[in-house]
Each structure stands twice: as C-alpha cells, then as structure tokens.
Amino acid sequence: PRAAKQRELLALITLADLLPDVRLPPEAAGRSVRGLAADSRRIEDGFAFFALSGANANGLAFAPAALAAGACAVICERA
C-alpha cells in the first residue's frame, strides 16, 4: 500500500517540480515522472534515473540501459 501511494503521488510530479533550480528545456520540463531509481535494473517506463558515482562504477555508464528501459530522464552531477 505504501509503494502504491508513493507511485500515485509521483504521477503528479513533473521534471520541473523535481528539479526546480535546474533550467530545463521546455519539452522536458513538463514531462511526468512516475518514479525514481538509482539502479538501472529497477527502471520502469517514466522513471527518472539518478546516475550516481559509486566506489566501483559511475552511474552514467548505465544511462543507456536506463533510457532503453523507459527512463524519462537521467539526472547526474555533471555530463
């Protein structure tokens, strides 16, 4: 039930809501975000992927897999 409620709330969030201090292209700003994940294997359609740097790997290496799985955005510190 808690996960369902979180998904319901996230369905109302856009990229502009999630990243209010980031200047986004107009075509991206209104895109709905259905969920969040930092593991590309957990991406579902409409999720935002957080490409974090870890001790063993850089999350940006998994960005193509996240996008192929349906991520609506890849969020990272620097491109």
Side-chain angles (χ1 to χ4, degrees):
R2 180 182 167 123
K5 183 68 173 171
Q6 288 174 335
R7 279 192 292 273
E8 183 180 311
L9 290 172
L10 282 172
L12 305 174
I13 294 176
T14 65
L15 281 174
D17 295 329
L18 185 64
L19 305 166
D21 296 329
V22 176
R23 190 151 87 222
L24 298 167
E27 64 274 11
R31 194 170 294 163
S32 293
V33 178
R34 294 186 48 235
L36 309 172
D39 184 333
S40 62
R41 297 167 295 186
R42 297 186 183 266
I43 291 292
E44 296 178 24
D45 190 44
F47 275 38
F49 174 61
F50 284 82
L52 306 175
S53 294
N56 298 316
N58 184 330
L60 279 176
F62 301 98
L67 291 168
C72 66
V74 174
I75 300 164
C76 62
E77 290 183 67
R78 294 193 155 188

